[in-house]
C-alpha cells in the first residue's frame, strides 16, 4: 500500500516540484506578489526577488505568469539553466517572448531594433504591459549579460519604460547585479522572500493535503511546531519532511502524525543538511 491509499489522498501532497495548483498565499508570497504587480502595472522597470533555495521563488514566478491576465500583459518566463549564457541569446529569447518573429542571435542590433518597435506596439497600440521574468538569474556571471538587460531598461517611449523585468534568484544574484553597477542602480524594487511564519506552517501543510484530496487532520499541532523548527519555515524542507513523515507513519500504521514521529524522521531524512 502506498501513502496515497493509506491516507486516502488522490495524489502525493508534498512533491518538491513546482505545481501552481498547490500555491499557498503566505504572507511573504502575497506581499511579494502585490508589490511586483504594482511595479508592473506602473511600468516601473526592474524588480529583483532574492530568496534562499527552496523558499518558493520559482513558485512565485509561475503564479505571476498564471495570474496576470494575458489580455493585459505580454508575459515571458526564461529559466537560466547554466552560467555563461550569451547576451545575444538572451536578447533573442526576450524578443521572441515579446512576439518578434525574426529575432536572431547573430544580429543583436537588428533584434533590439525590432524589439523596440514591438514594445512600442504592445504599449501604445495594444495597451498591454510587457513583462519578462527571469528565474535562476543568479546564473548570470558576465557583465555583457547584465549590459544586455540594462539596454532593455533604457528603452523608453513617451517618457515611459517599455518593458518590465523581474529577476529571481538565490542571494548570489547580488553578485550578478554588481557586475554592472549601472543596472544595479536601476532596481526599483528589491524583495527578499523569506520563510513561512511559524503560525502559517500548519495552514500550509493542511492546504497541500486538501489540494491532494485528503484529510487536513493528519499532522497535530505539536508535529507542526517541530516541522517549523526543523525546516525554519522553508517550504521545500517542509515538503521533504512531511513526505518522509507520511511514509514513516504509514509503516507504523498510524494516521495521525505527532511530534515524536516528526523528530525521528527529521534526524533521518534531513540530517544531511547543515544545522539540522
Ligand atoms: N507559496 C507556496 N505555496 C505552495 N508551495 C510552495 C510555496 N512556496 C514554495 N512551495 C513549494 O516548495 C518547493 C520549493 O519551491 P521553489 O519555488 O522551487 O523554491 P525556489 O525556487 O525558491 O528554490 C516546491 O515544491 C514548491 O511547490
Ligand atoms: Mg527555483
Amino acid at each position: 500500500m502506498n501513502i496515497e491509499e493509506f491516507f486516502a489522498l488522490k495524489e502525493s501532497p508534498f512533491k518538491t516540484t513546482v505545481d501552481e495548483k498547490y500555491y499557498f498565499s503566505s504572507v511573504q508570497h502575497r506581499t511579494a506578489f502585490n508589490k511586483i504587480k504594482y511595479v508592473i502595472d506602473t511600468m516601473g522597470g526592474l524588480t529583483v526577488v532574492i530568496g534562499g533555495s527552496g523558499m518558493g521563488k520559482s513558485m512565485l514566478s509561475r503564479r505571476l505568469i498564471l495570474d496576470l491576465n494575458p489580455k493585459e500583459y505580454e508575459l515571458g518566463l526564461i529559466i537560466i539553466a547554466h552560467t555563461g549564457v550569451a547576451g545575444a541569446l538572451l536578447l533573442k529569447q526576450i524578443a521572441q517572448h515579446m512576439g518578434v518573429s525574426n529575432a536572431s542571435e547573430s544580429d543583436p542590433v537588428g533584434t533590439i531594433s525590432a524589439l523596440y518597435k514591438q514594445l512600442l506596439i504592445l504599449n501604445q497600440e495594444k495597451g498591454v504591459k510587457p513583462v519578462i521574468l527571469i528565474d535562476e538569474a543568479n546564473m548570470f556571471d558576465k557583465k555583457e549579460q547584465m549590459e544586455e538587460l540594462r539596454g532593455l531598461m533604457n528603452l523608453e517611449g513617451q517618457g515611459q519604460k517599455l518593458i518590465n523585468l523581474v529577476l529571481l534568484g538565490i542571494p548570489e544574484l547580488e553578485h550578478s547585479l554588481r557586475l554592472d553597477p549601472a543596472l544595479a542602480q536601476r532596481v526599483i524594487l528589491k524583495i527578499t522572500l523569506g520563510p513561512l511564519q511559524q503560525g502559517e506552517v500548519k495552514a500550509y501543510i493542511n492546504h497541500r493535503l486538501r489540494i491532494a484530496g485528503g484529510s487536513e487532520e493528519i499532522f497535530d499541532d505539536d508535529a507542526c511546531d517541530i516541522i517549523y523548527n526543523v525546516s525554519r519555515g522553508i517550504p521545500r524542507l517542509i515538503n521533504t519532511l512531511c513526505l518522509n513523515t507520511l511514509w514513516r507513519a504509514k509503516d507504523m500504521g498510524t494516521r495521525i502524525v505527532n511530534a515524536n514521529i516528526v523528530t525521528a524522521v527529521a534526524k533521518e531524512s534531513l540530517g544531511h543538511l547543515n544545522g539540522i
Side-chain angles (χ1 to χ4, degrees):
M1 192 188 269
N2 58 30
I3 52 166
E4 287 83 353
E5 286 162 341
F6 185 77
F7 290 103
L9 297 157
K10 290 201 185 73
E11 59 186 41
S12 178
F14 297 112
K15 288 209 244 16
T16 53
T17 46
V18 174
D19 183 345
E20 298 89 346
K21 77 169 185 281
Y22 281 95
Y23 181 77
F24 174 76
S25 187
S26 69
V27 172
Q28 294 274 353
H29 273 85
R30 190 165 55 243
T31 310
F33 187 101
N34 290 339
K35 284 184 182 167
I36 296 169
K37 185 161 182 301
Y38 177 82
V39 170
I40 291 171
D41 284 342
T42 53
M43 290 306 292
L46 181 58
T47 297
V48 170
V49 180
I50 290 187
S53 182
M55 215 61 94
K57 301 177 295 299
S58 298
M59 182 61 124
L60 179 64
S61 66
R62 306 306 188 282
R63 199 66 230 186
L64 279 159
I65 296 279
L66 269 186
D67 281 11
L68 296 178
N69 185 343
K71 291 200 181 103
E72 295 171 45
Y73 306 90
E74 186 75 23
L75 297 161
L77 171 64
I78 296 173
I79 301 167
I80 308 297
H82 50 81
T83 56
V85 175
L89 173 62
L90 187 63
L91 178 63
K92 177 186 149 191
Q93 290 177 335
I94 292 172
Q96 282 175 334
H97 275 297
M98 291 298 111
V100 174
S101 53
N102 56 345
S104 129
E105 204 182 330
S106 58
D107 179 19
V109 177
T111 301
I112 191 94
S113 119
L115 175 59
Y116 178 64
K117 284 191 199 117
Q118 175 68 2
L119 292 177
L120 285 176
I121 292 172
L122 291 171
N123 278 280
Q124 292 165 10
E125 285 177 28
K126 300 198 171 159
V128 300
K129 298 185 165 73
V131 184
I132 290 285
L133 296 132
I134 305 185
D135 199 4
E136 305 281 0
N138 49 278
M139 293 278 188
F140 288 139
D141 59 346
K142 286 195 187 135
K143 189 167 168 48
E144 58 130 359
Q145 298 159 333
M146 308 320 276
E147 283 171 348
E148 211 61 74
L149 299 182
R150 173 151 57 88
L152 292 179
M153 289 295 90
N154 287 340
L155 297 180
E156 287 184 12
Q158 296 181 342
Q160 275 265 26
K161 290 221 181 325
L162 293 178
I163 188 164
N164 295 290
L165 267 184
V166 183
L167 306 182
L168 304 103
I170 54 175
E172 279 76 359
L173 175 52
E174 304 263 15
H175 300 301
S176 314
L177 287 169
R178 268 185 230 126
L179 293 168
D180 183 20
L183 177 71
Q185 221 179 64
R186 284 169 172 71
V187 176
I188 183 153
L189 169 67
K190 186 166 144 198
I191 294 172
T192 305
L193 196 63
L196 299 180
Q197 295 166 4
Q198 179 155 16
E200 292 179 307
V201 168
K202 190 175 173 108
Y204 172 85
I205 292 171
N206 288 346
H207 170 80
R208 293 195 75 108
L209 287 168
R210 186 170 60 246
I211 306 285
S215 151
E216 298 175 25
E217 297 304 321
I218 297 177
F219 293 83
D220 74 15
D221 286 357
D222 292 344
C224 292
D225 284 344
I226 303 281
I227 291 167
Y228 173 76
N229 290 339
V230 172
S231 66
R232 284 159 285 144
I234 300 172
R236 185 179 289 130
L237 297 183
I238 296 178
N239 287 8
T240 309
L241 186 53
C242 286
L243 183 60
N244 282 277
T245 304
L246 290 184
W247 278 324
R248 174 71 66 92
K250 181 200 69 111
D251 291 345
M252 294 168 64
T254 171
R255 285 187 173 74
I256 300 292
V257 168
N258 62 25
N260 290 340
I261 305 179
V262 178
T263 306
V265 172
K267 285 208 179 89
E268 198 177 291
S269 71
L270 294 181
H272 55 286
L273 296 171
N274 279 346
I276 293 175

